[in-house]
Amino acid sequence: MDEWDFIFHQPFITEKEKMAYLSFLRSLLKDRPYVLLVYMTGILPIAKYSSGSELNMFTEFTMAKSPAFSDYFGFTQAEVDDLYLRYQNTCNDMRVTRTGLQQWYNGYHTASGEQVYNPRSVVQALRFNELSNYWTSSGPYDEIYFYIENNIRAVRDNLTLMVSGMAVPAKISEYTT
């Protein structure tokens, strides 16, 4: 199920309809013998919307913290090299450099410490022949604004410190509620 949480980002969907959707997912997936493996993608984890046992049968895996699968959540250096070679062989007016790709998109590490790149961003940059922030076009920022506006776990304070040039040690998962 791709983007299972899409409905939660729509302003016209009521809270009652969101709960009905969770009930639908529960009846479709929970304790069903035909569901051996479900792969669901979305921006936010199911636990954010599920108040208890509605959908408690999933294990969450993220790009930033999943040792068992971290090797599969991004492009490795070698894979980006291969894609870049294809780009060089097919593009007449190259505006993307290999160094540029590394500076823009290699923000994650596997459990073994290997740098990995955001797949969507690398593909879009090579496809459109331009380095840009393609990740932001993939989903809404309502939740980020909520954390900043309400200073959840001092995220606004930490952002202020970072903008002023100070380093702030943080684990990304600690900012979730």
Side-chain angles (χ1 to χ4, degrees), residues 72-100:
Y72 308 103
F73 288 154
F75 287 154
T76 64
Q77 296 277 3
E79 290 168 326
V80 174
D81 287 343
D82 182 52
L83 289 170
Y84 193 74
L85 183 60
R86 292 181 195 190
Y87 167 76
Q88 287 178 310
N89 292 333
T90 59
C91 186
N92 295 326
D93 178 31
M94 292 178 26
R95 290 179 283 177
V96 175
T97 66
R98 180 62 181 86
T99 302

Side-chain angles (χ1 to χ4, degrees), residues 19-172:
M19 293 303 106
Y21 175 63
L22 282 177
S23 292
F24 165 73
L25 288 177
R26 180 185 64 237
S27 65
L28 178 68
L29 301 172
K30 188 163 177 123
D31 299 326
R32 300 294 183 190
Y34 56 82
V35 179
L36 297 176
L37 176 66
V38 172
Y39 179 75
M40 297 172 71
T41 67
I43 295 172
L44 302 171
I46 288 175
K48 176 171 176 48
Y49 299 107
S50 180
S51 63
S53 63
E54 290 98 345
L55 296 170
N56 64 355
M57 72 283 206
F58 292 103
T59 302
E60 178 186 349
F61 297 101
T62 67
M63 286 181 68
K65 187 181 177 184
S66 293
F69 299 105
S70 65
D71 291 344
Y72 308 103
F73 288 154
F75 287 154
T76 64
Q77 296 277 3
E79 290 168 326
V80 174
D81 287 343
D82 182 52
L83 289 170
Y84 193 74
L85 183 60
R86 292 181 195 190
Y87 167 76
Q88 287 178 310
N89 292 333
T90 59
C91 186
N92 295 326
D93 178 31
M94 292 178 26
R95 290 179 283 177
V96 175
T97 66
R98 180 62 181 86
T99 302
L101 286 173
Q102 184 170 2
Q103 290 174 345
W104 272 75
Y105 307 123
N106 71 340
Y108 302 97
H109 292 85
T110 65
S112 63
E114 182 177 7
Q115 289 184 318
V116 289
Y117 294 68
N118 179 307
R120 173 179 165 72
S121 297
V122 169
V123 169
Q124 296 294 69
L126 297 177
R127 178 179 178 207
F128 296 118
N129 199 23
E130 181 179 4
L131 295 172
S132 186
N133 195 356
Y134 296 104
W135 185 252
T136 60
S137 65
S138 68
Y141 279 97
D142 295 345
E143 183 162 335
I144 294 170
Y145 291 135
F146 174 81
Y147 285 113
I148 294 169
E149 182 179 353
N150 295 290
N151 203 25
I152 304 297
R153 299 203 182 186
V155 70
R156 183 178 58 224
D157 297 340
N158 288 338
L159 285 171
T160 303
L161 290 172
M162 288 187 287
V163 168
S164 71
M166 296 181 69
V168 176
K171 292 182 180 178
I172 295 171

